[in-house]
Amino acid sequence: MSFPAVELRQVTRFYGARNTGVAALDGVSLACPAGTWTAVMGPSGSGKSTLLHCAAGLEQVTTGRVVLAGRDITAAPDGVLTEMRRRTIGFVFQNFNLIGSLTAEQNVAFPLKLAGIRASRKDVRGVLGSVGLADRATHRPRELSGGQQQRVAIARAMISRPAVLFADEPTGALDSHSAKVVLELLRDMVRGAGQSIVMVTHDPAVAAGADAVVFLADGRIADRLDAPTTHQVADRLARLES
Amino acid sequence: MLRMSFRTFLERWQLFAGAVLSVAAGVALVQASFMVLVATGEPRIPEGLSRQEDDRIREGFVGAATVMGMTAFLAMFLAVFIVSSTFAFTVDQRRRDLALLRLTGGSRGQVRVLLLSESVLLGLVGSALGVPIGLGAKHAQTWLLVEIGLLPDWFAAPWRWQAVAVAGVIGVGVALTGVFAASLRAARIRPLEALRETGRAGRVMTTSRWLLGLSSAACTVAMVVWAHGANLIGAMLAALGISMVGAVAMSTLSPLVVPFTAWLLGLLLPGSLVVASLRDGVRRSAATASPLIVLVSLLLGLAGTFGSLAAAGGEEAKRSVNAQLVVTSTGARAERLPGIEGVAVASRQNAVDITITAGERRSVYSGIIAVDAADYARTHALVPTHGDLNALTGDTVFVGPAQHSEWIRAGEVLTAEAEGIPLSLTVVGGLPETLEPGENFVVPRRILPPPVWENAPTESVVQVETEQNPDVVAERIERAGIGEVSTVADWAEARAGRNQAGNMKILTVLMGLAGLYALMAVVNSVVIAGTERRREFAVFRVSGLSRPQVVRTAVAEATSVAVIGLVLGCAVAGAGLAGIGGSVRAAIGVTVVHVPWTLLAVVATGSLAVVAVTSGITALSATRQRPVSLIATKE
Ligand SMILES: Nc1ncnc2c1ncn2[C@@H]1O[C@H](COP(=O)(O)OP(=O)(O)OP(=O)(O)O)[C@@H](O)[C@H]1O
Ligand SMILES: [Mg+2]
């Protein structure tokens, strides 16, 4: 693929009035090539979530342009964005809950159903199996633990094979073993299926698994590391936060 | 999508219970009204009744049909209102769920379809419940209409299978109409809201709410202005319209008033939890206040309108005669009145039993009076619209106020029949329309054979000589054994009361219905609001409030909201009365307005009590569980 999976060009995002408000993002330019994993790090309030939301078309940028899977979505109408959410992009968020009234497998099949595609039971069970929840397919979210719910959410993001997966602290609430399982799943998506991931994380060890790490501070890109090690990441982060 | 609607419906049935019940009640009433309406449309009147009796029954049927039409209309309006406020409320409470749907790739259209299919489900369940309830309602309605004398006791409205179709269409239609606005609102929820823990606040006064509120308010004002120039039928319709549209305006704009009230209350109880809750729960408050606004504006608006019309009718009757006393007697006895000392003029008006037929129109048997034109002219202030009362001699006739709208021209010859004697009467003039129906025709007494008028019930309008005391003259008349004497003021009042009695009965039925309905809505919204606050109550308790304190806070909050609703409802009713007042002024030259104070007091205390008790019970049951068990579970 010739075009980057996600590209931000001079993106600015203001909250509140133009001259008095906060600039959550301030002139951010970033390109994530297809089939790569990009980690976004930075202190709390530095604009990580905002960057993800803008890149995914969930939030309008104030100035600048956003290109997603080769398509300029800066001023795209709702219909186009909906279509992209169905086929091109996926989300895994820390508090991106499941739909309470649907079972795990119904939750997984739901995006396809909205898109008018009939997901076969075998496919759904297969995806649930790959996140280790084959025996929990008919459970409601409230009957699952936090980590299990998060894995269902990942299965939901996996089934439509999105070109880009956006993840905001997906392992934030998980114990280290569950976190490892989740990260392995994500890594497989990039390595195996050529999908791209943009992920916000606070954990240097997690970020070290990515192809590139971008550091944000006060809404600007402060630094960037390619093929980093845990040590390097922790070092840069400490410098940023000091 | 349908399956999801179904599941939401099952899981949140408490939230929908009120809406289902109101749809069911609406369907039941519309269906029952439909059956009665159809039955009155093809009356099977037994043979062999006198023509007056036949006339009375037919009139009653028309009256019953009007009541049924208004009932059906009101029931539909209220059902739509309740469904729409319930759904507006549930959409707000399901913001996160709906945003999640959008985030996983649901389009705006799909969100709308989800809500609309929920409403279809609601409509179907409501209709299914409504059909059997409707059968009961039909009996109740028939009984009521017989009881108030509009229908004869042999009346029966047979069951019709079409009623089921009507019920289904009405139920689903009402539910869809009620949900429409909420579905648009829901479709506007942004997917990002699913990711924000605190993102559910959302603006209460949305653009569409502003638009609806301001346009209904403008519409209400326009109707008030229009009513000032309208005739009385127009003003009555306007009053009904003002009550309904004004109620919509006030309920959509009520979120603006809630913070103000919270501020006022804050001056009295600084730092109290009630004030903070009021300010925070603007939408909840608006949902509780709206049905109360409708209740008060409909009840007071209708009662005020009819009361004002009755009062105005009395006032007009009083002004239309230029005399001091009215004597009720038979025609023969009334002839002795001119001979009584102190009587200047006595205009005897015999209500004669004759038939007058104007061309192709229906024959008229009642409301025909026989007078002596000169006496009549001297004692009555009503100026003829055309012709001259002096011309009312020989075979002539004057068109009365009740026939004013029939456009019977001067010079037209009407056929009449008195005790078997045929007559041909030439129209020589007509009287203007009055608030009260008044007479159909006025004929000269001389042309009638004495037996026709001698035994006829007679009202004589008596002018007393200037130097005489009317009371003394009245005593003389009574002593002479002529008949019953009353002052013009008393007579006018009694007459207005008699004429309005039928209207008041109809009004009572409608008001009872509207009251019951709106009360159902009030209970519904209080229960939803209380039940959905479980978690919040639990947080209160964990923060150190005792259970009675939580309940007291909830009751105090609900009661303040009820007061807001009452005040806003009174404002709407006031607008309706202003319209009627203006119209009455245009018609009779003075402003006569009747404010139903007693009803206001009853409605105010009743609804406050209902709100307080319901919110108390709901808060008690919502705090029954241990607070920790509620806080620990995450949605
Ligand atoms: N809806 C909003 N309205 C106003 N300001 C906002 C809004 N959302 C975010 N902000 C501000 O934008 C800035 C960046 O927020 P953002 O959520 O992107 O931070 P973050 O890097 O994700 O922080 P954290 O690590 O704590 O999640 C913050 O200063 C925040 O206060
Ligand atoms: Mg964040």
Side-chain angles (χ1 to χ4, degrees), chain B residues 314 317-318 321 323-328 459-462 464 469-475 477-478 484-495:
Chain B
K318 201 162 75 187
V321 290
Q324 292 81 26
L325 303 172
V326 176
V327 182
T328 322
E459 262 180 356
S460 308
V461 177
V462 174
V464 176
N469 181 349
D471 293 341
V472 178
V473 178
E475 231 182 273
I477 296 172
E478 285 201 328
E484 239 174 90
V485 188
S486 59
T487 63
V488 164
D490 289 346
W491 161 80
E493 203 173 299
R495 182 175 130 130

Side-chain angles (χ1 to χ4, degrees), chain B residues 25-374:
Chain B
V27 164
L29 285 171
V30 171
Q31 179 199 303
S33 308
F34 167 81
M35 285 191 278
V36 176
L37 203 63
V38 171
T40 55
E42 37 195 62
R44 289 186 215 117
I45 296 173
E47 304 283 318
L49 288 178
S50 74
R51 41 194 205 197
Q52 278 91 350
E53 188 64 14
D54 187 280
D55 240 22
R56 209 181 54 74
I57 290 177
R58 275 176 203 281
E59 236 164 64
F61 273 35
V62 173
T66 314
V67 182
M68 289 298 98
M70 283 174 87
T71 305
F73 180 65
L74 209 62
M76 278 203 281
F77 168 77
L78 289 169
V80 168
F81 192 85
I82 295 175
V83 171
S84 75
S85 56
T86 304
F87 264 82
F89 208 34
T90 65
V91 163
D92 216 56
Q93 270 151 351
R94 289 161 57 195
R95 271 192 107 74
R96 251 180 92 100
D97 281 1
L98 295 170
L100 199 58
L101 186 69
R102 296 278 282 127
L103 195 60
T104 41
S107 66
R108 288 194 172 144
Q110 283 170 322
V111 171
R112 277 197 293 267
V113 167
L114 175 73
L115 283 172
L116 291 179
S117 39
E118 273 174 28
S119 83
V120 169
L121 219 57
L122 176 92
L124 289 177
V125 175
S127 308
L129 286 176
V131 171
I133 302 176
L135 285 178
K138 188 193 77 179
H139 286 293
Q141 271 180 341
T142 312
W143 174 82
L144 206 63
L145 289 172
V146 170
E147 198 64 12
I148 66 174
L150 277 177
L151 291 177
D153 50 13
W154 44 261
F155 179 86
W159 161 259
R160 275 157 213 278
W161 64 265
Q162 292 102 319
V164 180
V166 170
V169 169
I170 294 288
V172 174
V174 157
L176 279 176
T177 317
V179 167
F180 188 69
S183 77
L184 293 186
R185 243 172 77 76
R188 250 180 278 120
I189 293 176
R190 301 172 59 215
L192 198 57
E193 287 184 40
L195 302 178
R196 296 229 170 92
E197 282 286 359
T198 51
R200 61 170 274 192
R203 268 191 314 149
V204 176
M205 288 307 294
T206 52
T207 317
S208 55
R209 199 173 176 120
W210 271 110
L211 273 180
L212 179 66
L214 289 181
S215 58
S216 321
C219 205
T220 311
V221 173
M223 279 193 281
V224 173
V225 173
W226 180 77
H228 277 240
N231 64 12
L232 286 152
I233 296 295
M236 252 169 74
L237 287 179
L240 193 64
I242 290 167
S243 296
M244 298 196 326
V245 182
V248 172
M250 279 297 182
S251 1
T252 39
L253 295 178
S254 66
L256 296 176
V257 188
V258 174
F260 172 73
T261 320
W263 172 79
L264 264 185
L265 209 66
L267 295 182
L268 294 174
L269 309 160
S272 97
L273 196 55
V274 179
V275 177
S277 294
L278 262 183
R279 208 172 281 139
D280 191 48
V282 170
R283 177 169 287 281
R284 182 177 61 231
S285 311
T288 314
S290 343
L292 272 175
I293 295 174
V294 175
L295 172 74
V296 173
S297 69
L298 271 180
L299 290 198
L300 296 191
L302 285 176
T305 302
F306 281 89
S308 300
L309 284 181
E315 182 64 29
E316 187 195 40
K318 201 162 75 187
R319 287 160 162 257
S320 71
V321 290
N322 178 16
Q324 292 81 26
L325 303 172
V326 176
V327 182
T328 322
S329 63
T330 61
R333 285 203 189 146
E335 289 306 298
R336 282 157 52 202
L337 274 172
I340 302 287
E341 188 194 345
V343 172
V345 195
S347 168
R348 285 94 66 204
Q349 291 145 219
N350 320 102
V352 288
D353 181 12
I354 65 174
T355 312
I356 296 183
T357 312
E360 300 292 298
R361 300 175 183 89
R362 260 170 62 80
S363 297
V364 175
Y365 312 110
S366 55
I368 303 168
I369 57 167
V371 301
D372 180 64

Side-chain angles (χ1 to χ4, degrees), chain A residues 53 58-59 78 82 85-86 91 93 95-99 101-102 106 110-111 113-114 140 142 156, chain B residues 1 3-4 7 11 96 100-108 110 190-192 194-197 635:
Chain A
H53 296 162
L58 293 174
E59 190 94 77
D78 186 72
T82 301
R85 281 198 288 276
R86 283 181 187 169
F91 302 95
F93 289 108
N95 51 12
F96 176 10
N97 295 342
L98 304 170
I99 295 173
S101 54
L102 302 181
Q106 283 168 338
F110 195 60
K113 210 167 149 199
L114 286 175
R140 296 283 168 91
R142 73 177 87 90
R156 174 172 61 185
Chain B
M1 207 50 72
R3 195 150 52 137
M4 196 163 155
R7 206 162 288 123
E11 286 199 352
R96 251 180 92 100
L100 199 58
L101 186 69
R102 296 278 282 127
L103 195 60
T104 41
S107 66
R108 288 194 172 144
Q110 283 170 322
R190 301 172 59 215
L192 198 57
L195 302 178
R196 296 229 170 92
E197 282 286 359
E635 251 291 272

Side-chain angles (χ1 to χ4, degrees), chain A residues 13-16 22-25 42-51 53 59 168-169 200 202 216, chain B residues 192 196:
Chain A
R13 168 74 216 197
F14 280 95
Y15 283 115
V22 240
L25 289 181
S44 178
S46 56
K48 304 182 294 293
S49 297
T50 308
L51 181 128
H53 296 162
E59 190 94 77
D168 197 344
E169 300 182 42
V200 171
H202 280 290
L216 277 183
Chain B
L192 198 57
R196 296 229 170 92

